Amino acid sequence: QATDSSFTIVGKDRVHPVSPGHFTMAYQFLRSTLGAIPANIISLNYESKKLVASHGARVTDLSISKNGIRFTHQPASLPFIMFSAASPALDLVPFTKEFNTELLQVAGLPEGNYRLLLNDSVAGEFSATQFGEGINLSLLNTPQSRQAKEVLEYCLKIKSVESDLRQLRHMEYRTLFKLPNGNIKDSGIAILQRKLADTATKKNERPPAERYLKNKPKEEELYKEWSKMQQRLYEINKPGAVRVKIEKI
């Protein structure tokens, strides 16, 4: 705002953060609570045919020869999948560098271009210089990123169930419980049914009432579904092992 007084990371009302604002706050929360986190890294040396360093990943079955490099990579975590709506925040905070880097680095490769394969699927083609500097696997289309996208999609399903439950509480505490007998279970339903039957009810007041009437009878089932989904989330978010190949083109 020092150069553009109209710049903001919140919404037009200057109150609601919207996606870039939420993301920036989430980054600051992580940075303040966790501090600087070392980047996940796999560092190899082609000439010595050795693993130089490994952090946040386990490397097994390493083979380095003139035919290329092969090993099995067991990552400790999945890459972060960025929402497109929040992506402007990446210009404001160093999130990728500090929290979303998984570096594959190979020193001493002979000059030329190389193909990177993960589980026999091409993830990209890079020069020996680029491998020397390090390739950030978190930014590529990899088995890990595809798994992370599945986890994200599942999180959005959980969010949908949570939203239905939250709307029940919102309707009750912000609307129904302020009305006579509105805090009585069946009375709240009757109140909303009458509201929808009234032609004077405003158009924007109808969807929340309809949503409440749809979800209130299955509230217990929604809580059970939410609980099961939480357990399932921590089953599907465990990174799988990846077969890595680097071969000269």
Side-chain angles (χ1 to χ4, degrees), residues 25-96:
M25 289 190 292
Y27 160 80
Q28 190 59 56
F29 174 81
L30 291 173
R31 190 69 175 78
S32 299
T33 55
L34 301 179
I37 298 178
N40 292 344
I41 185 171
I42 298 172
S43 180
L44 308 172
N45 188 289
Y46 179 82
E47 295 174 343
S48 67
K49 296 179 171 50
K50 290 183 178 180
L51 173 67
V52 178
S54 176
H55 179 271
R58 185 163 57 92
V59 175
T60 57
D61 305 321
L62 175 62
S63 171
I64 301 178
S65 69
K66 63 180 182 180
N67 296 322
I69 299 174
R70 299 186 180 200
F71 61 90
T72 299
H73 168 218
Q74 177 61 65
S77 58
L78 293 173
F80 182 84
I81 303 301
M82 191 70 181
F83 280 98
S84 58
S87 58
L90 294 179
D91 294 329
L92 306 174
V93 295
F95 177 84
T96 299

Side-chain angles (χ1 to χ4, degrees), residues 150-168:
E150 292 176 0
V151 172
L152 171 60
E153 290 170 359
Y154 196 75
C155 286
L156 293 177
K157 292 179 181 179
I158 295 176
K159 179 176 179 288
S160 177
V161 176
E162 289 177 343
S163 178
D164 284 338
L165 290 169
R166 181 176 181 273
Q167 196 267 346
L168 292 177

